[in-house]
Amino acid sequence: MAEPADYPPFQLGKPRFEQTSFYGRFRHFLDIIDPRTLFVTEGRLKEAVQLLEDYKHGTLPPGVTDEQAIIHPDTNETIFMPFRMSGYIPFGTPIVVGLLLPNQTLASTVFWQWLNQSHNACVNYANRNASKPSPTSKFIQGYLGAVISAVSIAVGLNVLIQRANKFTPATRLLIQRFVPFPAVASANICNVVLMRHTELEEGIDVLDSNGNVVGSSRVAAKHALLETALTRVVLPMPILVLPPIIMSVLEKTSLLRARPRMLLPVQSLVCLAAFGLALPLAISLFPQMSEIETAQLEPEIAMATSSKTVVYNKGL
């Protein structure tokens, strides 16, 4: 496949685009979530695995071209298609459509919130950092916390809205459409805190300019969790806020009033477009390897290096 003229040269093992700028990170993650990689054949995948092995042993053949990774970098196992980053949008969009369906019952609210958090948990687990062993109980704890918080907030807000006598039925229906956002955003924060709270106690590795580990910093861990939590709040914002606004306008058009059966397909397309825009924007907010001034860290770490800044892996 021919590459666009503005593509920089490919180097195996390194991101194609510069990660210090938002634009570079945005272009990098557009590659990562490219749904075309879902259709890579098993034979092509085996070639890619062999290519990575050749690279590790310094026997890379000439004329290598870029291939999107659909295998886990730590385990070398194939990631199940619905849980790859490239599958997040096509497999997640139907769930978003379900979350935003009007006139939700208690049962449907619980079902769609549960399904959304289950999908998120599977994506998080499939793309986890597996370089160090982590107990499965930590993921279960984060999953249960996210499901409970999402369902509780969604059901609680729906009950409050139903009991609010100040609103007209039309206004009540419009407000209900925005309930999924605070529920999902709160659940995402809960998931991050429960799954990564040990980092706040033990710290995370910080590296100097030469890539050497200087120490484990709790201050860096706090920064990493704040950045990750902010990303998880920004991500569902366009996905769960823009479609209700757009659909409230489109539903008043003569086209959709005359053809009510088109409402669901149109809403699906709107959700797909919002999802496709929001995902790369949200995960590009912060670099994967974030930088922090050494003076802000613990004294023992500041004394262990002459570098003015160190970097840490914030996670996704």
Side-chain angles (χ1 to χ4, degrees):
M1 181 181 295
E3 294 178 342
D6 62 340
Y7 262 45
F10 168 67
Q11 289 181 285
L12 190 63
K14 295 183 179 180
R16 183 191 291 274
F17 297 96
E18 180 58 53
Q19 298 297 287
T20 55
S21 69
F22 175 82
Y23 176 75
R25 296 192 297 272
F26 180 73
R27 292 295 299 270
H28 168 68
F29 283 113
L30 281 180
D31 281 348
I32 295 297
I33 67 173
D34 188 345
R36 290 176 297 178
T37 61
L38 295 173
F39 305 102
V40 173
T41 63
E42 188 67 24
R44 188 67 173 173
L45 177 58
K46 289 180 179 178
E47 291 177 11
V49 173
Q50 185 59 50
L51 185 64
L52 289 173
E53 289 300 316
D54 292 342
Y55 170 72
K56 291 176 183 177
H57 293 93
T59 58
L60 191 64
V64 172
T65 57
D66 188 13
E67 277 292 331
Q68 291 296 327
I70 57 176
I71 58 173
H72 196 286
D74 296 328
T75 64
N76 282 336
E77 295 177 353
T78 305
I79 300 174
F80 187 43
M81 187 182 293
F83 307 145
R84 299 173 193 167
M85 288 305 296
S86 55
Y88 199 38
I89 293 174
F91 288 97
T93 298
I95 300 175
V96 173
V97 174
L99 285 169
L100 295 176
L101 287 174
N103 299 316
Q104 295 265 13
T105 64
L106 176 62
S108 65
T109 299
V110 172
F111 171 76
W112 288 112
Q113 290 291 345
W114 164 79
L115 187 60
N116 180 56
Q117 292 305 323
S118 296
H119 181 244
N120 288 342
C122 290
V123 171
N124 291 340
Y125 184 79
N127 295 277
R128 71 195 184 283
N129 184 334
S131 59
K132 294 181 180 179
S134 181
T136 307
S137 59
K138 185 183 295 185
F139 292 96
I140 295 175
Q141 186 182 41
Y143 167 66
L144 291 177
V147 170
I148 292 171
S149 60
V151 171
S152 300
I153 293 172
V155 171
L157 287 176
N158 275 324
V159 171
L160 288 176
I161 293 169
Q162 290 293 341
R163 292 181 177 178
N165 298 323
K166 296 180 181 179
F167 302 132
T168 64
T171 304
R172 190 179 293 119
L173 180 61
L174 180 62
I175 295 175
Q176 279 183 307
R177 286 185 163 186
F178 293 95
V179 166
F181 171 65
V184 171
S186 302
N188 288 348
I189 295 175
C190 182
N191 181 271
V192 171
V193 173
L194 288 175
M195 290 184 65
R196 297 177 58 179
H197 71 277
T198 54
E199 295 178 14
L200 295 174
E201 302 168 1
E202 301 173 3
I204 58 175
D205 290 346
V206 291
L207 296 80
D208 60 19
S209 55
N210 297 318
N212 300 315
V213 177
V214 179
S216 292
S217 169
R218 291 186 296 276
V219 175
K222 188 181 297 184
H223 280 258
L225 261 66
L226 284 173
E227 290 172 359
T228 303
L230 181 58
T231 300
R232 300 287 182 89
V233 171
V234 172
L235 174 57
M237 191 180 295
I239 302 171
L240 299 175
V241 173
L242 284 180
I245 296 175
I246 295 172
M247 288 306 299
S248 65
V249 174
L250 293 179
E251 287 170 358
K252 297 176 182 178
T253 62
S254 57
L255 177 65
L256 291 184
R257 280 186 173 181
R259 299 172 180 83
R261 291 185 178 180
M262 290 182 62
L263 280 173
L264 186 58
V266 170
Q267 180 168 318
S268 300
L269 289 175
V270 171
C271 289
L272 179 62
F275 209 157
L277 174 67
L279 182 59
L281 286 175
I283 58 182
S284 302
L285 283 177
F286 303 100
Q288 185 70 33
M289 298 300 294
S290 294
E291 191 175 72
I292 186 172
E293 292 183 2
T294 310
Q296 297 181 32
L297 302 178
E298 293 85 345
E300 61 272 18
I301 295 179
M303 293 174 61
T305 180
S306 58
S307 300
K308 291 184 178 180
T309 60
V310 292
V311 296
Y312 58 89
N313 189 337
K314 77 171 183 64
L316 284 177

